[in-house]
Amino acid sequence: MAERKVMERNDELIQKQYVYIDKVKEITAETVNIEGRQPTYEVRVFGCQMNELESEQLSGMLDAMGYTKAAPGEPADVIVFDTCCVRENAEEKIYGHLGLLKPAPGDKKSIVAITGCMMQQPHVVEKIKKSYHHVGIVFGTHNLYTFPELLYKHLTQKKRIFDVWDSEGQIVEGTPITRAEKVKAWVHIMQGCNNFCSYCIVPYVRGRERSRKKEDIISEVKRLAGTGYKEITLLGQNVNSYGNDLGRKDAFADLLYALNEIDGIKRIRFTTSHPKDLSDSLITAMKELPKLCEHLHLPFQSGSTRILKEMNRKYTKEQYLELIDRVREAVPGISFTTDIIVGFPGETEADFSDTLDVVRKVRFDQAFTFLYSKRTGTKAAEFENQVPEDVKKERFQRLIEVQNSIGAEINKTYEGKTVEVLVEGKSRNNDAMYTGRTRNYKLVNFTSSEDVTGKLVQVKIVKAWPFWLEGMVVPEGETS
Ligand code: 5AD
Ligand code: SF4
């Protein structure tokens, strides 16, 4: 009964937006009639994969409203920023972009709209109100799906619209989406985070954990398979908590078993996992499910148990290492990637040595390394023993050197081997090459005389570069 109510409410919320989509479409149709051109849009996305996915939803709404994507470098009629605030430098970059868009007198004005995590912070919205008058629409992460309504109001009332909700509502199904890729697709399975790691702003700007219904996820993945997608990546701030809010135990593993059955989908990935929640049922699923790829992104953040406690991560260095061993044993050949923060308040040289120790012991294929950034509103921002910038930077440099040489050594072991690659298309940097990834997430650029986009092919690796592998396709039927 409660579930039916949520569904009815969902239909009501989304149908209202489709009414606004039609209304904006009438306005864009006028531009086509009068100016003989379709109005254009650009979506600029900053931050994580969740934002990438949401920028595809923003594009989907704009396409449905009669806009078309602007050619690269062309000024667009509507520019939407999907912002990130996880570190200070992300915010600075966005202010920089916004500043450059301030129109000179007499310039044709674009409509500038901003959404995303950064807008969930009241002090940021105040700053935009006061200092960035060319920004016409501001909305947050909880009401992304109301963009058609806000754009319509802005277009018809000719005034600035500020609409940021301070608490999360239900996840709304049915928002239009224009996906950037044709072979692999992001699928969000949950929103929000309950963990409150002491450095992290995400729980404040994304709200508490809310899971999508299993049936909704399955239908979406079936639709993707039906339109030719081969790989899906399930997204959530902490995917291992999937279903906790629905009162289900082992719901994430259960979901993976169901998705593994969908014809057409060849590979399944997921991110991000929290070490404290990585369950035995998930390890078993990784061992048993043929479509689940042999790669795990498992942020450890710091190797020091003392710092991990200060970070509120709820595991020790030893527990993390033990977890890695268990996963490795269950899934031979699995690759690990991770996130690491350097210079958390109070981090000593000994703490940092523990971080290096974990990096050396685990031998990650890749690590995303970050300088600790103080985020207003988080617990750690109040800690007094902040590490000086120069110390942080020096440790950061050392960490990168250690990790880069490990990554390069791992890559070197691939030379001469043949690997299975799911081909995503032509390489962005080199038109003569195709690009794709192995099951364990190695980036491979390779030559092929045929267009193999969307196919699973065998590629012989001829050279290992520090961050990617170079190869040539092995023609079907030939063994290497
Ligand atoms: N400073 C530096 N890095 C951070 N991250 C999250 N918050 C901060 C912060 N305040 C990093 C963590 C997380 C990744 C997405 O961003 O490593 O896993
Ligand atoms: Fe931030 Fe921790 Fe939640 Fe990840 S698990 S989003 S680091 S609070």
Side-chain angles (χ1 to χ4, degrees):
M1 189 63 195
E3 211 160 82
R4 218 177 91 197
K5 273 220 168 100
V6 171
M7 252 171 63
E8 282 169 8
R9 176 92 182 114
N10 182 80
D11 292 350
E12 203 181 295
L13 293 172
I14 198 67
Q15 271 161 20
K16 184 174 168 202
Q17 294 309 314
Y18 276 95
V19 171
Y20 283 107
I21 285 177
D22 286 341
K23 288 183 179 193
V24 176
K25 219 170 162 182
E26 285 172 19
I27 298 174
T28 51
E30 268 177 44
T31 312
V32 178
N33 280 339
I34 296 166
E35 297 181 25
R37 66 175 195 99
Q38 210 176 346
T40 56
Y41 72 85
E42 180 191 344
V43 179
R44 290 192 199 175
V45 58
F46 303 83
C48 65
Q49 291 103 331
M50 194 61 95
N51 276 19
E52 298 269 352
L53 170 56
E54 286 173 354
S55 77
E56 294 180 343
Q57 291 180 325
L58 290 162
S59 299
M61 290 187 260
L62 284 155
D63 282 323
M65 288 187 282
Y67 290 88
T68 186
K69 193 172 170 188
E74 286 288 309
D77 293 275
V78 179
I79 304 175
V80 190
F81 283 74
D82 195 0
T83 62
C84 169
C85 62
V86 79
R87 284 170 295 276
E88 196 181 352
N89 55 5
E91 291 198 353
E92 279 164 2
K93 198 161 141 192
I94 290 157
Y95 284 127
H97 275 249
L98 276 183
L100 288 175
L101 283 177
K102 277 189 185 165
D107 274 4
K108 183 177 171 294
K109 280 193 203 143
S110 304
I111 293 174
V112 180
I114 319 188
T115 183
C117 294
M118 197 173 153
M119 296 306 116
Q120 289 296 141
Q121 304 172 100
H123 71 273
V124 172
V125 175
E126 272 316 300
K127 185 165 169 175
I128 303 258
K129 240 183 214 165
K130 281 208 187 96
S131 311
Y132 295 85
H133 293 275
H134 59 301
V135 174
I137 307 171
V138 172
F139 55 122
T141 57
H142 303 316
N143 62 330
L144 191 108
Y145 72 96
T146 66
F147 179 48
E149 179 176 352
L150 305 177
L151 180 59
Y152 177 75
K153 286 185 176 157
H154 178 72
L155 287 165
T156 53
Q157 298 171 6
K158 311 264 185 246
K159 62 174 193 191
R160 303 177 81 192
I161 307 281
F162 290 84
D163 191 13
V164 179
W165 299 358
D166 56 12
S167 67
E168 63 274 12
Q170 68 181 77
I171 293 184
V172 173
E173 298 288 338
T175 303
I177 185 160
T178 303
R179 294 186 184 269
E181 309 264 352
K182 297 266 176 289
V183 179
K184 56 178 192 176
W186 310 112
V187 176
H188 77 273
I189 62 167
M190 61 189 302
Q191 301 267 11
C193 181
N194 291 356
N195 287 322
F196 290 94
C197 300
S198 64
Y199 51 81
C200 186
I201 193 88
V202 168
Y204 304 91
V205 295
R206 288 262 172 197
R208 296 296 72 71
E209 288 171 359
R210 286 144 289 146
S211 302
R212 283 179 79 191
K213 290 209 304 274
K214 183 179 169 189
E215 305 79 72
D216 289 333
I217 299 168
I218 292 174
S219 323
E220 181 176 355
V221 175
K222 281 186 176 161
R223 279 198 305 276
L224 287 166
T227 49
Y229 284 90
K230 302 283 190 316
E231 178 178 305
I232 51 160
T233 303
L234 308 175
L235 293 183
Q237 256 77 37
N238 182 13
V239 289
N240 307 118
S241 301
Y242 171 76
N244 286 358
D245 55 317
L246 307 173
R248 299 216 191 106
K249 212 179 156 280
D250 289 331
F252 184 51
D254 181 52
L255 174 70
L256 292 171
Y257 280 88
L259 295 176
N260 190 69
E261 295 304 311
I262 297 176
D263 286 340
I265 297 297
K266 307 278 187 213
R267 291 179 172 187
I268 304 173
R269 303 183 187 278
F270 57 85
T271 196
T272 290
S273 299
H274 193 306
K276 80 175 164 58
D277 297 315
L278 199 122
S279 60
D280 289 343
S281 64
L282 177 62
I283 298 177
T284 308
M286 292 183 76
K287 188 174 171 168
E288 289 184 352
L289 294 178
K291 294 183 184 174
L292 215 46
C293 290
E294 295 80 14
H295 165 233
L296 184 62
H297 183 66
L298 196 62
F300 78 93
Q301 314 296 3
S302 167
S304 155
T305 295
R306 192 181 69 80
I307 293 290
L308 286 169
K309 193 157 194 293
E310 295 288 306
M311 286 178 161
N312 192 30
R313 292 288 291 179
K314 302 197 168 77
Y315 54 85
T316 63
K317 174 187 177 187
E318 289 69 31
Q319 283 166 337
Y320 183 86
L321 290 172
E322 191 259 339
L323 185 57
I324 293 277
D325 284 347
R326 269 170 50 218
V327 177
R328 250 190 193 135
E329 199 177 307
V331 189
I334 190 166
S335 70
F336 291 97
T337 55
T338 197
D339 292 346
I340 307 169
I341 297 177
V342 177
F344 183 82
E347 183 190 79
T348 62
E349 185 56 31
D351 295 317
F352 178 65
S353 299
D354 276 328
T355 295
L356 289 180
D357 190 42
V358 171
V359 167
R360 289 194 179 105
K361 287 203 164 101
V362 177
R363 294 182 65 78
F364 296 99
D365 279 55
Q366 198 181 354
F368 300 89
T369 47
F370 307 106
L371 289 168
Y372 168 72
S373 169
K374 193 169 161 179
R375 302 284 61 208
T376 310
T378 61
K379 248 190 158 169
E382 308 296 319
F383 295 174
E384 276 169 7
N385 41 3
Q386 302 282 330
V387 177
E389 256 344 90
D390 56 335
V391 176
K392 275 195 226 173
K393 285 190 179 144
E394 189 270 334
R395 286 180 191 160
F396 186 78
Q397 207 45 47
R398 272 193 281 155
L399 172 62
I400 289 184
E401 275 163 28
V402 172
Q403 174 54 41
N404 283 358
S405 72
I406 292 171
E409 279 165 25
I410 296 176
N411 279 3
K412 202 82 187 147
T413 63
Y414 282 81
E415 282 185 355
K417 284 190 182 152
T418 297
V419 292
E420 183 198 85
V421 174
L422 176 61
V423 189
E424 292 164 23
K426 282 269 173 81
S427 158
R428 267 187 215 137
N429 304 326
N430 180 349
D431 202 38
M433 285 201 165
Y434 287 86
T435 191
R437 290 197 182 255
T438 62
R439 284 176 63 96
N440 64 0
Y441 210 57
K442 288 280 165 209
L443 179 63
V444 182
N445 292 318
F446 63 96
T447 51
S448 164
S449 54
E450 270 176 56
D451 183 355
V452 280
T453 305
K455 290 192 176 159
L456 283 170
V457 294
Q458 298 294 317
V459 175
K460 177 152 186 172
I461 302 304
V462 292
K463 184 163 171 56
W465 296 87
F467 300 106
W468 58 283
L469 303 171
E470 183 179 337
M472 52 207 286
V473 79
V474 180
E476 260 176 80
E478 264 182 41
T479 47
S480 58

